[in-house]
Amino acid sequence: MSDTRRRVKVYTLNEDRQWDDRGTGHVSSTFVERLKGISLLVRAESDGSLLLESKISPNTAYQKQQDTLIVWSEADNYDLALSFQEKAGCDEIWEKICQVQGKDPSLDITQDPIDESEEERFEEIPETSHLVELPPCELSRLEEIADLVTAVLSSPIRREKLALALMSEGYIKKLLGLFRVCEDLDNREGLHHLYEIVRGVLFLNKAALFEVMFSDDCIMDVVGCLEYDPALVQPKRHREFLTKTAKFKEVIPITDSELRQKIHQTYRVQYIQDIILPTPSVFEDNFLSTLNSFIFFNKVEIVSMLQEDEKFLTEVFAQLTDEATEDSKRRELVNFVKEFCAFSQTLQPQNRDAFFKTLANLGILPALEIVMGMDDLQVRAAATDIFSYLVEFSPSMVREFVMQEPQQTDDDVLLINVVIKQMICDSDPELGGAVQLMGLLRTLIDPENMLASTNKTEKTEFLSFFYKYCMHVLTAPLLANTAHDKNSKDVPEGSNKINPVCPDNFQTAQLLALILELLTFCVEHHTYHIKTYIMNKDLLRRVLVLMNSKHTFLALCALRFMRRIIGLKDEYYNRYIIKGNLFEPVINALLDNGTRYNLLNSAIIELFEFIKVEDIKSLIAHIVDNFYNALESIEYVQTFKGLKGRYEQEKDRQSQRHSRSQLFICRYRRDARSLDEDEELWFNDDDDDDDGEAVEKRMEDDFSDSYGKYMEAKKGTFWYFSLVFSLSLETTLYTLHKQRQNSNTYTALVGLVDYPDDEDEEEEDEEEEQSPRKRPRLSS
């Protein structure tokens, strides 16, 4: 078993002054030959790799904080921290560091850090002066003490020395004792001085002082001192708020007293930082960095202690999902889980990963299904915040859960449908909750965060699930508010009458705008699924009904939806738009808008300008054929004349192509007739010729002339007709030639000498005549 005393977490301070977790391991101090000295080594508990190797330098300032932390700087802006699981381990390593540096282990800091800019000032301080000399802690010396504390803040060296002096003499508790005396005597001047003193001590930025000031017996007096700001006429009542107004509720009894004390301390320190202390100026920005670290490590410790207490968390989720749990109790449980998740944001990624996996295993998502459907607005709001933490952490985890639900439950109680219904039923006039939920839905259906998943089918499976089980719930308000759209033919042209079914209620209009924004996102990212849905539901027609809304922002959302569809330049969509005559409501809105130069006017014109620039021929032809008469009068932009020009150019090109094709056909017909006349003359001449050699020569000449004429005609005709009629004509001429050879007229031409090649030629001729490919297709 590993020695738990040496178990540590290694932290480094990043550029944003936040601590990054570098891993968990076991620390040891040993001599490293390469570094020529005693060094701190931390090896990872998972694989034994080296997480830290740091030589204990004699001049490095090490600080011990909160009994389990050791913090130091190795280089400029490179701070390190070891967080020990047990105090004994921290003390052991601290003694080793002090031994190497020759320091007293009872101190919480081994060196006075020297800033280069302070070297000259440091030389002015006598070497024998190890501590700042503090005035006696008396009422009459409070002003002197306040001046001293304020004066040292500008010097890092003197801040260190003052901190050591305050610790060594137990000065803090004496000052807090004077505070109680001043308050009993209503000594306002003394209380004002104590405000300056306590504020200055906080700005010393020392963890050892914080341990004293934020202990149970001191922290409320510290808060009391900070109530008496000299700039205020009346003191604030912070202690009254912390003790009476702010109530610590244990939804499940916390048996660990250390955990309970840590929660109280963290809440009060956070209150001091966020509420009581003024916002630090640019020059004071780093004065409270240790206070930030103090709160950070407290939160990490609280989350770790709760997460390790499986019995506690199991009981929380059991009561959260129990139907017998009272509403007030459930409200407290939900608020606790919300606060728990908020604390987890301080964890490093790997620790946060383990945290949310623990919540998932305990059943956080089924619990959210129950509480998000409750009538209590506070519970629903807290549940929404918890759901947002889960979605932001791992959308895939949420998707995996919801895809398993249809096997176990009805569509109405699916988690995503519960979220959609909560978005639709948001009672906030500004729809703050609906906006938040819409953003979460968009994250869940965004294919971009599905690509990195190890499950390659996640995108296909989840989108199929969403469109099958959830899309009808999302579009229900949209379809309901556009259900009774009158046929556009029934509305007189140029009418600016508002469609009676268009939502004039501002909250309803806002909700529809959110739904349209999500649908527009789907058009851009879900090509196949959303296209099928739009066609099946005739969704674009229903959306364009909203062009008549008196709320311009809603009309613009409807127009943006159509613009995104046209922007895809998908002919499938284009045919759908043309068939449904879906430009009509857009053009009616443009005409109703008149000459007003506003966003609606510009957006509609941009839509047509895009069609013109991209030369979408099918849409251009549809627009010009059906709407140009109405648009012709719009001359303050050249968009519609440009559309007409594109339309005319395309008609001219089509006309020219048609004319050329007709010309080619006519030329072929003319050449074919001339060939028929030549053939007839050729046959007439052949009948009168009795000389075998002359006949044969004329036949060959005529064949060559006819074929030559045909080839000249062939060059000017369209290739398709050329190929077809070439094969037909060649076959016809060759057949005529063979028929004449076989006729009685040419019997005299048969050779008297039998040449060896004649038989082969005759056999080839017979084969060619029998070939189906060369058999002429002529009518008798």
Side-chain angles (χ1 to χ4, degrees):
M1 180 181 289
S2 300
D3 187 358
T4 58
R5 291 183 306 165
R6 297 292 188 91
R7 191 169 185 264
V8 296
K9 283 185 176 292
V10 181
Y11 292 93
T12 58
L13 196 65
N14 60 29
E15 295 178 354
D16 299 326
R17 310 298 297 173
Q18 298 293 326
W19 289 101
D20 291 335
D21 187 349
R22 297 302 183 189
T24 303
H26 292 86
V27 64
S28 63
S29 58
T30 185
F31 182 82
V32 177
E33 181 66 29
R34 182 174 55 83
L35 299 177
K36 306 294 184 184
I38 301 295
S39 304
L40 297 176
L41 303 179
V42 179
R43 294 194 176 276
E45 65 179 359
S46 57
D47 56 8
S49 60
L50 194 62
L51 297 178
L52 175 68
E53 185 180 59
S54 173
K55 180 182 177 181
I56 302 175
S57 172
N59 300 320
T60 299
Y62 291 84
Q63 293 184 50
K64 183 181 173 186
Q65 302 177 6
Q66 303 182 45
D67 292 333
T68 56
L69 281 175
I70 297 177
V71 182
W72 73 99
S73 298
E74 287 203 338
D76 293 341
N77 298 323
Y78 186 68
D79 293 344
L80 289 162
L82 293 180
S83 176
F84 289 79
Q85 181 172 331
E86 296 185 7
K87 179 179 181 297
C90 182
D91 292 341
E92 188 177 335
I93 295 298
W94 180 252
E95 289 177 5
K96 190 66 177 179
I97 293 171
C98 292
Q99 180 183 346
V100 172
Q101 293 194 340
K103 302 295 182 180
D104 184 0
S106 63
L107 298 177
D108 289 335
I109 185 167
T110 63
Q111 299 285 333
D112 295 336
I114 300 177
D115 190 282
E116 293 181 2
S117 63
E118 297 294 327
E119 286 183 356
E120 294 181 2
R121 196 176 303 174
F122 179 73
E123 292 174 358
E124 298 174 0
I125 302 175
E127 294 182 3
T128 57
S129 177
H130 295 290
L131 300 176
V132 173
E133 186 176 349
L134 290 169
C137 192
E138 300 173 357
L139 287 177
S140 59
R141 309 296 290 273
L142 285 177
E143 184 177 1
E144 185 180 348
I145 298 171
D147 291 341
L148 174 63
V149 172
T150 304
V152 303
L153 292 178
S154 60
S155 169
I157 300 299
R158 300 185 68 190
R159 286 205 306 269
E160 295 289 340
K161 292 183 178 296
L162 178 59
L164 290 173
L166 290 170
M167 284 297 299
S168 62
E169 299 179 17
Y171 212 78
I172 298 295
K173 292 188 177 182
K174 294 178 183 178
L175 286 171
L176 296 177
L178 288 180
F179 163 72
R180 290 189 290 271
V181 172
C182 288
E183 195 167 41
D184 290 340
L185 298 173
D186 196 20
N187 184 350
R188 288 302 177 94
E189 184 179 359
L191 291 171
H192 290 164
H193 289 317
L194 283 166
Y195 170 86
E196 296 291 348
I197 293 169
V198 171
R199 180 177 177 274
V201 172
L202 289 172
F203 281 166
L204 291 177
N205 205 26
K206 296 302 170 187
L209 295 175
F210 292 160
E211 289 289 346
V212 176
M213 298 173 72
F214 300 149
S215 61
D216 287 345
D217 55 346
C218 293
I219 190 167
M220 296 310 294
D221 288 334
V222 170
V223 172
C225 291
L226 295 173
E227 290 179 351
Y228 292 94
D229 186 349
L232 300 176
V233 178
Q234 293 293 330
K236 295 285 187 179
R237 297 180 178 272
H238 297 302
R239 284 172 295 174
E240 182 180 337
F241 175 83
L242 289 173
T243 55
K244 296 181 180 180
T245 306
K247 299 293 185 181
F248 178 61
K249 296 181 179 179
E250 295 181 74
V251 291
I252 303 293
I254 297 175
T255 57
D256 190 338
S257 58
E258 183 183 354
L259 174 58
R260 189 187 299 108
Q261 185 272 336
K262 188 71 69 176
I263 293 171
H264 284 306
Q265 184 188 59
T266 304
Y267 176 78
R268 290 165 180 170
V269 175
Q270 187 87 59
Y271 183 85
I272 290 172
Q273 184 189 45
D274 295 341
I275 306 300
I276 300 178
L277 289 178
T279 303
S281 66
V282 176
F283 304 104
E284 300 172 332
D285 195 28
N286 291 327
F287 280 4
L288 296 176
S289 60
T290 304
L291 185 60
N292 292 330
S293 299
F294 185 93
I295 296 170
F296 169 80
F297 286 115
N298 266 17
K299 289 183 176 180
V300 170
E301 194 169 348
I302 290 170
V303 172
S304 299
M305 294 172 73
L306 285 173
Q307 189 175 341
E308 291 169 3
D309 191 346
E310 295 183 2
K311 182 178 179 181
F312 176 83
L313 289 178
T314 302
E315 183 66 21
V316 168
F317 285 99
Q319 292 195 24
L320 192 60
T321 55
D322 188 354
E323 295 181 0
T325 303
E326 296 180 0
D327 290 346
S328 58
K329 180 70 171 180
R330 200 188 308 274
R331 187 185 308 117
E332 293 175 358
L333 289 165
V334 172
N335 286 328
F336 167 77
V337 176
K338 172 190 171 183
E339 195 73 17
F340 194 29
C341 291
F343 267 40
S344 73
Q345 300 307 296
T346 62
L347 299 175
Q348 294 303 307
Q350 59 268 38
N351 294 337
R352 194 158 59 242
D353 181 50
F355 170 80
F356 281 111
K357 284 182 178 177
T358 300
L359 292 187
N361 293 334
L362 289 169
I364 181 67
L365 289 168
L368 284 177
E369 248 179 1
I370 296 173
V371 297
M372 291 186 79
M374 294 177 62
D375 296 332
D376 192 316
L377 294 179
Q378 291 183 356
V379 170
R380 291 214 308 258
T384 300
D385 290 337
I386 297 170
F387 185 65
S388 69
Y389 286 126
L390 294 170
V391 172
E392 289 168 9
F393 164 70
S394 177
S396 293
M397 180 180 73
V398 179
R399 285 192 287 262
E400 183 179 356
F401 169 77
V402 299
M403 282 192 291
Q404 296 171 353
E405 288 186 290
Q407 305 170 5
Q408 307 166 2
T409 184
D410 297 332
D411 290 0
D412 292 340
V413 293
L414 293 175
L415 178 59
I416 290 190
N417 286 346
V418 171
V419 172
I420 293 173
K421 289 175 182 177
Q422 185 171 334
M423 181 183 81
I424 293 171
C425 301
D426 188 6
S427 58
D428 180 7
E430 298 297 327
L431 294 183
V435 172
Q436 181 184 9
L437 290 170
M438 192 273 289
L440 297 176
L441 281 174
R442 181 144 87 175
T443 302
L444 287 174
I445 64 174
D446 186 358
E448 292 298 322
N449 60 46
M450 300 180 195
L451 299 179
S453 174
T454 54
N455 181 6
K456 296 182 180 179
T457 62
E458 180 186 14
K459 177 180 176 181
T460 303
E461 289 180 355
F462 181 75
L463 291 182
S464 298
F465 162 86
F466 180 78
Y467 281 86
K468 181 178 181 180
Y469 294 104
C470 308
M471 183 58 95
H472 68 280
V473 181
L474 178 65
T475 56
L478 175 64
L479 298 177
N481 281 279
T482 57
H484 304 291
D485 178 30
K486 294 182 179 181
N487 193 311
S488 58
K489 295 179 182 179
D490 298 335
V491 181
E493 185 176 352
S495 171
N496 59 359
K497 182 180 178 181
I498 300 296
N499 193 309
V501 304
C502 279
D504 291 337
N505 177 274
F506 179 74
Q507 189 170 347
T508 305
Q510 275 191 309
L511 174 63
L512 295 182
L514 287 176
I515 294 172
L516 281 175
E517 185 178 344
L518 202 58
L519 291 175
T520 304
F521 176 84
C522 293
V523 168
E524 189 172 1
H525 293 86
H526 304 166
T527 51
Y528 166 74
H529 293 86
I530 189 65
K531 184 190 297 184
T532 304
Y533 191 84
I534 289 173
M535 301 300 175
N536 290 340
K537 299 293 184 180
D538 198 11
L539 189 62
L540 181 56
R541 180 186 304 279
R542 305 290 283 273
V543 168
L544 290 176
V545 172
L546 302 176
M547 292 294 296
N548 295 323
S549 173
K550 72 176 184 180
H551 300 287
T552 305
F553 71 88
L554 183 56
L556 286 168
C557 287
L559 182 64
R560 190 183 303 117
F561 181 72
M562 184 177 188
R563 170 66 174 82
R564 197 60 53 89
I565 289 175
I566 292 176
L568 297 176
K569 295 187 285 187
D570 186 333
E571 277 301 314
Y572 195 74
Y573 274 128
N574 294 344
R575 289 193 297 270
Y576 164 66
I577 292 171
I578 292 169
K579 184 178 179 180
N581 195 29
L582 299 181
F583 274 109
E584 184 174 8
V586 177
I587 291 172
N588 286 340
L590 177 64
L591 298 177
D592 290 344
N593 191 63
T595 58
R596 284 173 290 182
Y597 182 60
N598 53 21
L599 188 56
L600 181 63
N601 175 274
S602 299
I604 294 175
I605 289 176
E606 190 278 334
L607 172 67
F608 291 107
E609 184 69 22
F610 174 82
I611 295 171
K612 183 193 78 172
V613 170
E614 296 296 327
D615 196 17
I616 306 177
K617 294 179 176 57
S618 57
L619 296 183
I620 291 174
H622 173 70
I623 293 166
V624 174
D625 285 340
N626 294 277
F627 304 107
Y628 187 71
N629 291 338
L631 300 172
E632 189 175 12
S633 60
I634 300 177
E635 297 182 346
Y636 54 87
V637 291
Q638 298 301 309
T639 300
F640 301 107
K641 288 187 177 180
L643 286 172
K644 179 71 171 177
R646 294 267 190 181
Y647 176 75
E648 296 294 345
Q649 290 174 5
E650 182 62 22
K651 281 189 66 176
D652 290 344
R653 282 196 293 267
Q654 291 180 0
S655 178
Q656 290 174 7
R657 284 198 296 268
H658 182 70
S659 299
R660 283 198 297 269
S661 64
Q662 292 297 322
L663 177 62
F664 294 155
I665 294 173
C666 292
R667 290 183 61 183
Y668 166 74
R669 287 175 177 172
R670 184 183 67 243
D671 293 339
R673 283 196 299 271
S674 65
L675 285 174
D676 291 342
E677 293 172 359
D678 291 341
E679 289 172 10
E680 190 173 347
L681 291 173
W682 182 34
F683 286 126
N684 291 336
D685 291 342
D686 288 344
D687 290 340
D688 297 336
D689 195 347
D690 296 332
D691 188 357
E693 292 181 359
V695 169
E696 185 174 354
K697 184 175 185 302
R698 175 174 294 183
M699 180 188 69
E700 293 174 355
D701 292 342
D702 289 346
F703 180 85
S704 299
D705 291 342
S706 298
Y707 187 79
K709 289 180 180 180
Y710 163 69
M711 291 303 292
E712 289 179 2
K714 177 182 176 184
K715 292 178 182 178
T717 57
F718 189 67
W719 69 270
Y720 175 79
F721 294 103
S722 300
L723 181 61
V724 175
F725 290 116
S726 166
L727 292 173
S728 177
L729 186 58
E730 286 178 68
T731 304
T732 303
L733 293 176
Y734 183 82
T735 303
L736 290 172
H737 172 59
K738 297 302 293 182
Q739 287 176 346
R740 284 180 179 269
Q741 280 186 325
N742 295 330
S743 66
N744 294 331
T745 308
Y746 296 105
T747 53
L749 294 178
V750 178
L752 299 178
V753 181
D754 187 11
Y755 293 100
D757 296 334
D758 288 348
E759 292 180 2
D760 295 338
E761 291 176 357
E762 289 174 3
E763 291 175 359
E764 291 176 0
D765 292 342
E766 289 175 1
E767 290 176 359
E768 290 177 355
E769 285 181 352
Q770 294 173 1
S771 173
R773 183 172 55 85
K774 298 223 178 161
R775 187 172 296 136
R777 298 189 178 186
L778 298 177
S779 57
S780 56

